[in-house]
Amino acid sequence: MATGKHLWWSPSTIPGMEKDPPSYWPPGIDEGVDIHSFVLAVKTEGFDDCADGEWEDGYRKIVLTYHPNRDDEFGHACVLVRPGVWLSKWGEYSDFEHALSDLDNSEYGSKYRFLRKSVG
């Protein structure tokens, strides 16, 4: 996940993934690959749980996807940039906009955790 001060968030425990120098993981957060570790990580940036991915003025919303059939393994993260439009990044590829339903497949996970942060 990209934030204003970090390019890529990645725990060093992901099998087969080399930790890139610009990658980041918050200190004191378990470097697990499960959704719970990722939720705790983004909460260090001021995000809190919320009910859904609907647009709310004054908030920045993100969604974390995960795989319930793989011990709740984290899948992907994206940010809501305007009503119904999410922004994602895969590796070194460019950011791209999409609908949340575009993530509905087994590759990215079938479950969602929504979080929001006040921007006002």
Side-chain angles (χ1 to χ4, degrees), residues 34 50 52 100 106 109 113-114:
D34 60 281
C50 65
D52 57 40
L100 189 56
S106 61
R113 280 290 296 267
F114 296 99

Side-chain angles (χ1 to χ4, degrees), residues 91-105:
E92 297 178 15
Y93 297 110
S94 299
D95 294 351
F96 63 97
E97 295 179 347
H98 57 86
L100 189 56
S101 61
D102 292 339
L103 299 179
D104 288 343
N105 65 52

Side-chain angles (χ1 to χ4, degrees), residues 13-120:
T13 57
I14 294 178
M17 182 147 190
E18 292 182 33
K19 194 132 172 115
D20 204 336
S23 64
Y24 171 81
W25 194 253
I29 302 297
D30 180 41
E31 292 194 44
V33 297
D34 60 281
I35 188 64
H36 310 292
S37 295
F38 278 80
V39 167
L40 291 174
V42 298
K43 284 185 173 186
T44 67
E45 295 287 315
F47 285 89
D48 287 309
D49 292 301
C50 65
D52 57 40
E54 296 298 316
W55 182 263
E56 289 182 67
D57 289 333
Y59 288 94
R60 173 173 229 166
K61 286 195 173 184
I62 62 171
V63 64
L64 305 178
T65 66
Y66 64 99
H67 303 271
N69 57 342
R70 288 195 243 165
D71 296 325
D72 293 341
E73 179 185 78
F74 170 78
H76 183 67
C78 51
V79 62
L80 185 63
V81 292
R82 60 184 176 277
V85 180
W86 296 83
L87 184 69
S88 286
K89 180 173 187 64
W90 270 274
E92 297 178 15
Y93 297 110
S94 299
D95 294 351
F96 63 97
E97 295 179 347
H98 57 86
L100 189 56
S101 61
D102 292 339
L103 299 179
D104 288 343
N105 65 52
S106 61
E107 184 178 349
Y108 308 117
S110 60
K111 295 290 183 181
Y112 300 138
R113 280 290 296 267
F114 296 99
L115 297 105
R116 71 181 185 175
K117 173 182 177 175
S118 177
V119 294

